[in-house]
Structures are given as structure tokens and as C-alpha cells.
Amino acid sequence: SDTTTVSHSSCFMKEEVVQKRILHLLKKQSYAAKQTDRHRYTALNVAIYKGAPLKVVAALLKAWPDAVKEKASSPIFDETTYKYVTSWEAPLQTACRCRAPFEVTALMLNTWLSYRENRTKTAIISLQRDNFTGDVKVLFSH
């Protein structure tokens, strides 16, 4: 499937040839960005997790801006029970957790905030996690 191509290519995201291939695919078949896997990960989630550069993340957001709101299941280690629990994570949270470049995180935040329902204090607090970098914490504090 098209998303399998985008998602599987994402594991080699730092290679320019793969980036060009993904950008070409999105130009020809933008709907590929809307496919999800069994954990509801979109191509955007996978690209961010695998360290995609800004131009790939921007192209995925252009193809499907609503992807910024799609939550996927993510195993989180609970240190009190010493077990993994399922947490639902938005791509912006993935960017923060995976320490994506600031430019990628800022683009994700701006896109997320472009939706009126995400501009409430409750919505913003729901994104915050303890493992954010200092610059991301400053970004969220404003």
C-alpha cells in the first residue's frame, strides 16, 4: 500500500534519496498520508519518530493537516508498576518525546494550534509530558 511505502521508507529518513521518493509520492498520491497501521500510526507519526527532516514533515502536513490531531497508541513504561501501559499520543507529543528538531516541533505546534479546539488551556496541558526538552517546555509555557 502507499502508506506502507511512506512508513517503511521512513526508517531510512536521513537518506536524501528516500526523502525525494516520499516527497514525490506525496505529490502524486497525497492520500497516502492518510493511511494508518494497526496502532493508528500515520505516516506523520512514523516520519517524526524516525527523524524526518522538516521538508518531509511539512509535506506530510500539507497532504493531510488533520494528521496533527490523530492519536496513536504508544507503549509507555510505568515506573510504579514496572509494566508498559498504552498511552494515546498525538504526533506533536511524539515530536517532543523523540526530541525532534525545534523547527519540526514548532511546525507541529503551529499546525496543532491552528485548530480552534486546541487553543484551550486544557488541550495544551493534555500535551505536556515530563520528558520534554527545555526549549519545548519554554515553547509550551507561552
Side-chain angles (χ1 to χ4, degrees), residues 91-112:
L92 177 55
Q93 290 168 307
T94 302
C96 295
R97 180 175 54 82
C98 294
R99 302 190 184 325
F102 183 78
E103 295 80 14
V104 169
T105 305
L107 173 64
M108 296 292 298
L109 180 59
N110 285 332
T111 305
W112 190 78

Side-chain angles (χ1 to χ4, degrees), residues 6-92:
V6 173
S7 297
H8 287 226
S9 297
S10 297
C11 64
F12 305 104
M13 199 52 74
K14 303 210 187 274
E15 297 179 24
E16 192 170 332
V17 172
V18 175
Q19 294 170 21
K20 287 180 181 179
R21 188 171 144 208
I22 291 170
L23 294 171
H24 179 73
L25 174 67
L26 289 170
K27 281 183 184 177
K28 294 188 97 176
Q29 301 172 357
S30 62
Y31 62 85
K34 294 184 179 185
Q35 302 292 318
T36 61
D37 68 10
R38 64 187 175 95
H39 299 288
R40 295 184 55 197
Y41 277 97
T42 63
L44 180 63
N45 285 100
V46 175
I48 290 167
Y49 181 75
K50 297 294 183 177
L54 180 62
K55 65 183 174 183
V56 172
V57 173
L60 286 164
L61 282 170
K62 182 179 178 185
W64 186 33
D66 284 354
V68 78
K69 299 189 298 182
E70 293 292 312
K71 291 190 175 187
S73 62
S74 178
I76 304 290
F77 187 72
D78 183 345
E79 293 182 11
T80 58
T81 63
Y82 296 101
K83 295 181 182 178
Y84 282 94
V85 296
T86 300
S87 174
W88 291 94
E89 183 172 80
L92 177 55

